[in-house]
Amino acid sequence: MAQDKRVKEKGKVPSELGSTGVYTKSISNHFDQSIKELIFPYSLETYDKMAMDVTIASALNAVTVIANRVPIYIEAYDQTKQHQKRAEFVTQCFNDMVDGENLESVIQKALTFNKYGFAILEKVFRRRRYKNGSKYDDGKIGLKYLPMRKQHSITEFKWDDDYRRFEGVYQNVTPSTGLDLLWNDRQRLSLKPKRNDSDKWIPRESFLLFKTDLSTDLPQSISPLYHCYEGWRELQKHKDLENIAASKNMNGILVGRAPEEYLSSEADEDMKKAGQAFKDGLSKITINEQGSVLLPSTRSEDAHGALEWDVTTLQSSSSHVTSISAIVQRIQNEILQLMFADVLRSGDDVVVANKNKKSLLNRLVEIRIKEILSVLNVDLIPELFRRNGWDDSKLPTIRYGELEEVDMAVFAKAMQQLKATKLIPVTPSVINRVLEVMGFTYRVDENMSKDELDKILGTDDEMQSRSGDSLNTPSGGQNGTGKNVSEDDRSANNLDNS
């Protein structure tokens, strides 16, 4: 087997050969419109349009609503006095930002990446002095705020020449969106990306970057709406068909009759104008722009004497409306399923959208929250510590609590039974997990000894429940702790004991 040339020399570290494979491609008009609409920055307008659809808006709002309920807290590195003070400092930094911003508002701004695929928040620091507007005057470096750089204002994501390292972004800082608005030959709004010399350069180290898809090196990532695009387009088409079909079903189809000579290509100008006015009137009535049409009462000279000018209604069947509505509902379900939000569907389907599907939606929210907090923990907090000259290897951590409401009665009973039967160890990590589920921010020191933990818990053997003694006794007798149940023991039917 041939030896790799790069490892022939002992101790030599091979250099990087490839690149990320991320290349900036120009977008020209010969691209298919559907492809163009999913490429940055065209995609931003596409996602705005998609978010106006009630189905997609419901799914996006569901993530935001659930995320708002997630408890967020800051946990110290350990329970020593120094690290508790450092955790308190981080809490102070988030509560000391201008304009009433706090950790919750930062998370809300970061959550816009659930729509666009990415979110950028610039890091702005200040020295904590009263004269600088801070609530504190200790001279430490804290946060002024974390302003959002709106996705539509980003004009370019800049890479180095080898496309190995993402260097930063250019932002249009003028009141415009940074995009030239043009009307093409199909009278559809199109966007032409344009970066001006006046655009502001923001280096990568100066901002927090939140991404929904970590599997790609693209800083703009891939929006969750990307996968719903084709379904959304089909949904709009079928909604339009449904409205047209419903209108025709309710009002019928207008049928106009006019003398043949008025519709002939050989008619004189006055007759042509009259025929065209008649056709225009029928069209306007159909789209509800006109309420009536005035016709002459002239009758033909044949035996029946029918009106030469006439308007009637042809009734249509409602079966096609039902078929289209079924297609619309199917596409809506598919979009909601893609976004794990099909628990929002009301009616009979709600029976199917059970706990498992709610758990999927909660899991999606958990992934979003986890990514946001990961960026804050890995990027923002270490920089705060470094700017203050502290050790950035022992940091407080921003954590999130339970997404689903815990039945405290059930949880407490489970803990009691597990403890009583000695099926769960009483360790600092277990106690901290219980405190987390119960919603307490206090944590015990993970490194404390058993004696120290017993002292904090006030452990006393005589105080412990004897509900687990039944595992060690052949029969219960009178104390209710045996394995065997008497035939006349009615407590066996108690659901709480089953």
Side-chain angles (χ1 to χ4, degrees):
M1 181 180 294
Q3 187 179 16
D4 190 336
K5 293 181 180 180
R6 294 184 300 163
V7 297
K8 280 186 176 180
E9 298 182 25
K10 186 176 180 180
K12 185 177 179 180
V13 179
S15 60
E16 184 178 3
L17 298 178
S19 71
T20 60
V22 177
Y23 305 107
T24 303
K25 296 182 179 179
S26 60
I27 304 172
S28 58
N29 289 329
H30 72 270
F31 278 171
D32 181 82
Q33 188 66 27
S34 63
I35 296 176
K36 179 188 278 190
E37 289 180 350
L38 291 174
I39 299 176
F40 178 86
Y42 301 84
S43 57
L44 302 179
E45 284 293 317
T46 302
Y47 299 146
D48 282 339
K49 293 176 189 176
M50 294 175 68
M52 294 175 66
D53 181 86
V54 64
T55 304
I56 293 177
S58 298
L60 292 174
N61 289 338
V63 173
T64 302
V65 169
I66 296 175
N68 284 335
R69 300 204 315 257
V70 179
I72 306 293
Y73 60 93
I74 298 175
E75 182 177 290
Y77 178 77
D78 59 33
Q79 294 304 308
T80 60
K81 190 173 182 179
Q82 181 188 38
H83 287 295
Q84 285 181 336
K85 284 185 176 181
R86 296 280 168 84
E88 177 61 26
F89 167 77
V90 174
T91 302
Q92 291 174 358
C93 286
F94 282 111
N95 294 331
D96 190 37
M97 293 190 291
V98 300
D99 300 329
E101 286 199 15
N102 51 35
L103 180 55
E104 286 73 22
S105 64
V106 168
I107 292 175
Q108 287 302 305
K109 289 188 289 187
L111 269 174
T112 58
F113 76 164
N114 192 50
K115 176 179 176 182
Y116 298 109
F118 73 97
I120 292 175
L121 274 62
E122 187 172 351
K123 296 177 285 188
V124 182
F125 302 93
R126 68 175 171 186
R127 193 168 293 279
R128 305 208 309 182
R129 294 293 186 193
Y130 293 147
K131 64 180 182 180
N132 295 335
S134 174
K135 301 175 185 176
Y136 308 94
D137 198 43
D138 53 16
K140 296 175 182 177
I141 303 297
L143 289 173
K144 185 176 181 180
Y145 56 174
L146 298 170
M148 182 177 178
R149 301 310 176 209
K150 189 171 174 62
Q151 287 88 347
H152 296 73
S153 69
I154 303 302
T155 53
E156 183 180 334
F157 291 89
K158 179 74 167 57
W159 290 80
D160 64 6
D161 294 338
D162 296 327
Y163 287 94
R164 288 195 176 97
R165 190 172 68 88
F166 171 50
E167 295 184 335
V169 298
Y170 285 97
Q171 183 195 21
N172 184 287
V173 293
T174 61
S176 66
T177 62
L179 301 170
D180 290 336
L181 302 182
L182 303 172
W183 288 91
N184 62 18
D185 55 350
R186 289 186 293 171
Q187 294 297 296
R188 290 190 58 193
L189 187 64
S190 63
L191 302 172
K192 181 181 178 182
K194 182 179 180 181
R195 181 168 71 80
N196 300 315
D197 294 335
S198 61
D199 286 358
K200 201 73 173 179
W201 166 248
I202 309 177
R204 175 65 187 91
E205 61 270 15
S206 296
F207 61 83
L208 303 171
L209 176 63
F210 303 91
K211 298 166 51 177
T212 53
D213 190 344
L214 301 181
S215 66
T216 175
D217 287 320
L218 287 169
Q220 63 267 40
S221 189
I222 298 175
S223 168
L225 300 187
Y226 176 93
H227 306 287
C228 303
Y229 177 74
E230 290 299 332
W232 169 74
R233 289 184 63 182
E234 288 300 313
L235 181 61
Q236 304 314 303
K237 292 177 184 177
H238 283 86
K239 276 187 173 181
D240 290 341
L241 288 174
E242 185 181 36
N243 291 333
I244 294 171
S247 176
K248 289 181 178 179
N249 182 56
M250 289 187 296
N251 303 320
I253 301 173
L254 285 181
V255 178
R257 294 181 177 86
E260 183 179 357
E261 56 267 25
Y262 285 83
L263 305 178
S264 172
S265 59
E266 299 177 356
D268 60 39
E269 289 301 316
D270 289 339
M271 295 177 70
K272 284 183 178 179
K273 287 181 180 179
Q276 187 61 45
F278 181 55
K279 289 190 287 185
D280 291 344
L282 293 178
S283 298
K284 290 179 179 179
I285 291 173
T286 301
I287 61 177
N288 215 22
E289 287 187 0
Q290 183 171 313
S292 60
V293 59
L294 179 63
L295 300 175
S297 58
T298 308
R299 292 183 178 274
S300 63
E301 296 179 354
D302 58 16
H304 301 287
L307 288 171
E308 292 186 340
W309 297 80
D310 190 19
V311 176
T312 58
T313 301
L314 178 64
Q315 295 298 323
S316 61
S317 170
S318 63
S319 59
H320 57 290
V321 180
T322 305
S323 300
I324 297 173
S325 297
I327 296 174
V328 168
Q329 186 172 2
R330 175 182 60 78
I331 298 174
Q332 287 176 329
N333 286 336
E334 289 174 352
I335 291 175
L336 290 173
Q337 287 169 10
L338 271 172
M339 303 183 75
F340 295 140
D342 47 335
V343 293
L344 302 176
R345 174 67 61 195
S346 59
D348 295 337
D349 290 341
V350 79
V351 177
V352 181
N354 54 17
K355 267 188 175 181
N356 292 331
K357 292 195 175 181
K358 287 182 180 178
S359 295
L360 283 175
L361 182 57
N362 286 335
R363 178 58 179 160
L364 173 66
V365 176
E366 183 179 2
I367 291 172
R368 300 287 178 254
I369 294 294
K370 189 174 182 180
E371 168 57 22
I372 292 172
L373 298 189
S374 175
V375 172
L376 296 176
N377 288 326
V378 173
D379 189 333
L380 181 63
I381 294 180
E383 184 167 355
L384 268 174
F385 273 50
R386 288 192 295 269
R387 287 181 178 273
N388 284 285
W390 300 337
D391 181 9
D392 63 355
S393 65
K394 298 179 179 179
L395 300 168
T397 306
I398 308 175
R399 298 191 181 278
Y400 61 91
E402 298 293 327
L403 273 71
E404 298 183 20
E405 293 184 5
V406 178
D407 188 326
M408 291 303 174
V410 174
F411 180 75
K413 182 178 178 181
M415 289 296 99
Q416 180 190 31
Q417 292 176 346
L418 289 171
K419 172 64 173 63
T421 53
K422 299 180 180 180
L423 293 177
I424 186 171
V426 182
T427 64
S429 60
V430 171
I431 297 301
N432 285 337
R433 175 58 179 161
V434 173
L435 291 170
E436 179 183 342
V437 173
M438 299 294 288
F440 295 103
T441 57
Y442 174 80
R443 298 292 184 270
V444 301
D445 188 347
E446 296 279 351
N447 298 316
M448 69 169 45
S449 65
K450 185 177 185 307
D451 291 339
E452 292 173 321
L453 183 61
D454 289 342
K455 185 176 180 180
I456 290 177
L457 298 177
T459 303
D460 187 333
D461 290 340
E462 293 184 2
M463 295 172 57
Q464 303 307 302
S465 168
R466 299 192 62 210
S467 61
D469 291 353
S470 60
L471 295 180
N472 301 317
T473 58
S475 61
Q478 299 297 321
N479 61 15
T481 61
K483 294 181 181 177
N484 302 325
V485 181
S486 173
E487 293 181 0
D488 59 351
D489 186 358
R490 298 178 183 178
S491 68
N493 295 323
N494 188 336
L495 292 177
D496 283 342
N497 293 332
S498 59

